Amino acid sequence: MAWIHEGSFDGCGLRVAVVVGRFNSVVTERLLDGALDCLERHGVETDNVDVFWVPGAWEIPASARRIADLGSWDAVVCLGAVIRGETPHFEYVAAESAMGVAKTAMKCDIPVIYGIVTADTLDQAIDRAGAKSGNKGFDAAMAALEMVGLYEEIDEAAEEETEEEEPAEKEQ
Ligand code: INI
């Protein structure tokens, strides 16, 4: 029978960093509220949450990388809002911030979670930040908790396998 491994959502004892873009703050402040609400509801002590404000989504990946590499946090939640405007800037910021967070997540030992809303209009973005379509900040924090639990499960599963493989002690 297969061994099924899943992360729990238990935030007790965890230290979580949130990186949030100030650009479109009417949206990102709501994403942050959602993320903080999720963390508190799942047992993360408020003293164990650090919020780092950056100018915009562009600055999120490098900041997340720096935070993750310091080894003081169990997860990094990245929050931002990129809203399509009249200029092509949207495309660059949206694509590079998404790719940057993905690359960071792959390079770092802890979960780095993508919670950047991309939308055509401000209304759409607000819908995803606590109005009609849930709160992507809350969802991102949930994903962070789950992934911390899963990474622990993966490490434990690997250790169990190693223990089984160790040769039995020789009899004298
Ligand atoms: N930053 C955002 O977070 N969202 C946007 O929609 C956005 N647009 O469209 O320009 C945006 N631009 C700023 C960017 O993230 C950087 O902060 C800036 O370019 C300085 O490096």
Side-chain angles (χ1 to χ4, degrees):
M1 209 174 82
W3 299 94
I4 307 297
H5 302 280
E6 285 178 298
S8 73
F9 296 92
D10 183 7
C12 292
L14 297 187
R15 193 161 178 223
V16 178
V18 183
V19 183
V20 53
R22 200 174 288 114
F23 206 100
N24 294 319
S25 64
V26 65
V27 179
T28 60
E29 278 170 7
R30 293 169 192 222
L31 295 174
L32 177 61
D33 287 346
L36 296 178
D37 181 36
C38 172
L39 296 174
E40 195 179 341
R41 281 171 190 248
H42 290 86
V44 182
E45 286 182 27
T46 45
D47 271 358
N48 285 341
V49 180
D50 291 282
V51 177
F52 298 95
W53 284 96
V54 296
W58 186 272
E59 283 74 30
I60 290 174
S63 310
R65 173 83 195 266
R66 193 175 180 90
I67 290 164
D69 283 351
L70 287 170
S72 298
W73 289 271
D74 296 293
V76 185
V77 179
C78 301
L79 304 177
V82 190
I83 301 173
R84 191 182 293 279
E86 298 299 311
T87 68
H89 208 60
F90 166 90
E91 310 289 347
Y92 298 124
V93 176
E96 291 303 324
S97 59
M99 216 181 303
V101 173
K103 279 186 190 160
T104 305
M106 282 188 276
K107 281 181 189 152
C108 295
D109 286 338
I110 59 168
V112 177
I113 304 298
Y114 179 77
I116 301 175
V117 168
T118 54
D120 287 331
T121 64
L122 180 62
D123 281 351
Q124 276 179 1
I126 288 174
D127 282 350
R128 295 171 201 161
K132 287 186 209 150
S133 312
N135 187 315
K136 299 299 172 205
F138 190 102
D139 298 347
M142 282 292 275
L145 296 175
E146 181 173 4
M147 291 307 292
V148 171
L150 182 68
Y151 279 18
E152 282 169 7
E153 286 280 325
I154 292 170
D155 292 349
E156 280 165 25
E159 274 168 28
E160 280 160 21
E161 180 78 5
T162 313
E163 278 161 23
E164 277 167 24
E165 278 173 9
E166 273 173 21
E169 267 180 42
K170 279 186 191 162
E171 281 180 29
Q172 299 288 331

